[in-house]
Amino acid sequence: MELIELYIQEVTRRLPEKSREDIALELYSTIEDMLPKDYNEQDVKEVLVKLGDPITLASGYRDRPMHLIGPRYYDVYISLLKMIFPIAAVISLIAIIGDNAFGEFGEKTVIEGIAIMIGQGIAGIVSTGIQVFFWLTVLFAIFERLDTSKDQSPLTKDLKPWTPEILKDIPNISKKKAIPKVEIFASLLGLSVFAALYFNATNLLGVYENRNDSLIFVTPTFNQEVLNSYWLLVSGVVIVGGLLAIYKLFLRRWTMKLALFHAFYQLFSTLTFIFIISNPHLLNPEFIAYQKTLFSIDEWSTSIYWGIIFIAIFFAAYDSYQGFRKAKIR
């Protein structure tokens, strides 16, 4: 008898006071019905084992779940978490691009400048991830406790009960056709580094000499005024590249529309690159003079100029071809 009373006490103490007495009587009656007429302590133990852990049994009587995110909303919760976090991370990286693109790095070297941007990017993504995880978890925890529907079966990511018909809507994506998230985030990081380097070229890109065991910035490579004159084109390349990455995040696989968008971006970015390097005043005169003291080559020899253009066109064409090839995979 003592075991029965202790078990009921363990169950009811986890319940609201107004319902404890009724549930205690119900449990006592249930246990009595499950026991034989002349029962002993071993019989009581066997019955209590069948009823299960008092915590689990108490959760069945409660009006709200005892877990943070239960099985009914867990799949929806995870799906939204996977969808919202990359989008929030993209927005965070775009904000970092805006901060670094027109910021000042002082007398820092290229490596130090890139390290700063990478550090800010990682810190921004981690901070964004914590915020998304916290608020989405709180939202679902509240939403689940307000759900009073009798049907507590797990929901799909569309907030509908599962049916076999849902299987028809699940795309069968080949691994060769899928777009890895690592590839998308690498392109976003590359855009942020490129923008920061481009608009701070005078402070970061140039000739460094090792003097007294320290790197000394001698002269910048590019003419910053010339680079800044193309700010609209370069900003367009960065913005379109960011939109392309967001589009890839939503699709997660190559399609003909995405391949066309990707090819347009490659054409746009390549033409912008060729247009910029064609400016005869792109290089800083001091850098040209410094190079002439070391190498006997012209500031822009024809072979180097056309070689760079050929390489840019080749990689853009090859990348576009890969997009169309993957889009045709079934």
Side-chain angles (χ1 to χ4, degrees), residues 268-311:
F268 175 48
S269 58
T270 303
L271 289 177
T272 300
F273 173 74
I274 294 173
F275 189 54
I276 292 174
I277 68 169
S278 299
N279 191 313
H281 305 293
L282 178 64
L283 295 179
N284 182 24
E286 295 181 4
F287 172 77
I288 296 174
Y290 182 85
Q291 292 300 316
K292 284 183 176 181
T293 63
L294 302 176
F295 308 101
S296 58
I297 59 173
D298 296 333
E299 52 186 290
W300 276 112
S301 66
T302 303
S303 58
I304 294 176
Y305 174 77
W306 287 109
I308 292 174
I309 290 179
F310 173 78
I311 292 172

Side-chain angles (χ1 to χ4, degrees), residues 97 185-197 234 237-243 245 265:
I97 292 174
F185 282 106
S187 64
L188 287 170
L189 183 61
L191 282 173
S192 63
V193 172
F194 163 73
L197 288 176
V234 174
V237 169
V238 174
I239 292 171
V240 174
L243 292 175
Y265 175 70

Side-chain angles (χ1 to χ4, degrees), residues 102-117:
F102 301 98
E104 292 292 336
F105 286 92
E107 299 180 354
K108 295 181 175 62
T109 64
V110 178
I111 297 176
E112 291 173 336
I114 292 176
I116 290 173
M117 286 182 284

Side-chain angles (χ1 to χ4, degrees), residues 13-286:
R13 75 180 182 87
R14 293 175 169 84
L15 301 174
E17 291 187 10
K18 62 180 181 179
S19 60
R20 287 179 184 177
E21 186 176 349
D22 293 337
I23 293 175
L25 291 174
E26 179 184 337
L27 274 176
Y28 189 82
S29 176
T30 301
I31 294 171
E32 286 289 327
D33 292 339
M34 295 174 67
L35 289 170
K37 291 183 178 180
D38 298 322
Y39 61 86
N40 53 34
E41 185 175 331
Q42 184 60 34
D43 294 328
V44 173
K45 289 181 180 179
E46 290 177 2
V47 170
L48 297 184
V49 169
K50 291 179 182 179
L51 289 174
D53 190 291
I55 299 174
T56 306
L57 187 60
S59 66
Y61 286 103
R62 294 178 69 90
D63 296 330
R64 61 181 185 277
M66 297 184 70
H67 41 253
L68 195 59
I69 306 295
R72 178 168 172 80
Y73 292 98
Y74 185 76
D75 188 60
V76 182
Y77 166 74
I78 293 297
S79 298
L80 283 177
L81 195 62
K82 289 180 178 179
M83 182 180 70
I84 294 175
F85 171 70
I87 297 173
V90 169
I91 296 173
S92 176
L93 284 173
I94 291 174
I96 291 172
I97 292 174
D99 289 340
N100 288 330
F102 301 98
E104 292 292 336
F105 286 92
E107 299 180 354
K108 295 181 175 62
T109 64
V110 178
I111 297 176
E112 291 173 336
I114 292 176
I116 290 173
M117 286 182 284
I118 292 176
Q120 290 178 350
I122 294 173
I125 291 174
V126 171
S127 176
T128 301
I130 293 172
Q131 291 288 330
V132 170
F133 175 77
F134 174 78
W135 289 112
L136 194 63
T137 303
V138 169
L139 178 64
F140 268 82
I142 295 172
F143 187 60
E144 184 167 26
R145 280 149 182 78
L146 293 177
D147 186 1
T148 57
S149 59
K150 294 181 179 180
D151 184 10
Q152 291 295 312
S153 58
L155 299 176
T156 64
K157 60 183 179 181
D158 297 324
L159 294 177
K160 297 178 180 179
W162 186 88
T163 61
E165 293 297 322
I166 293 176
L167 296 174
K168 297 179 181 179
D169 299 328
I170 299 176
N172 186 15
I173 303 175
S174 169
K175 288 185 178 180
K176 295 181 179 179
K177 195 181 183 75
I179 304 175
K181 287 185 179 180
V182 175
E183 177 184 322
I184 298 172
F185 282 106
S187 64
L188 287 170
L189 183 61
L191 282 173
S192 63
V193 172
F194 163 73
L197 288 176
Y198 184 91
F199 291 105
N200 287 279
T202 301
N203 299 322
L204 295 175
L205 301 177
V207 178
Y208 291 82
E209 289 186 353
N210 191 355
R211 299 176 184 175
N212 299 323
D213 297 328
S214 61
L215 284 175
I216 304 298
F217 188 77
V218 178
T219 181
T221 301
F222 299 101
N223 188 334
Q224 191 66 57
E225 291 183 0
V226 174
L227 291 177
N228 290 343
S229 66
Y230 299 107
W231 72 269
L232 187 60
L233 277 174
V234 174
S235 298
V237 169
V238 174
I239 292 171
V240 174
L243 292 175
L244 178 61
I246 294 174
Y247 191 35
K248 287 180 179 180
L249 275 174
F250 276 103
L251 291 180
R252 298 296 303 278
R253 65 184 185 276
W254 284 98
T255 63
M256 290 305 296
K257 286 185 179 180
L258 176 59
L260 285 171
F261 187 8
H262 182 72
F264 165 76
Y265 175 70
Q266 291 297 327
L267 177 63
F268 175 48
S269 58
T270 303
L271 289 177
T272 300
F273 173 74
I274 294 173
F275 189 54
I276 292 174
I277 68 169
S278 299
N279 191 313
H281 305 293
L282 178 64
L283 295 179
N284 182 24
E286 295 181 4

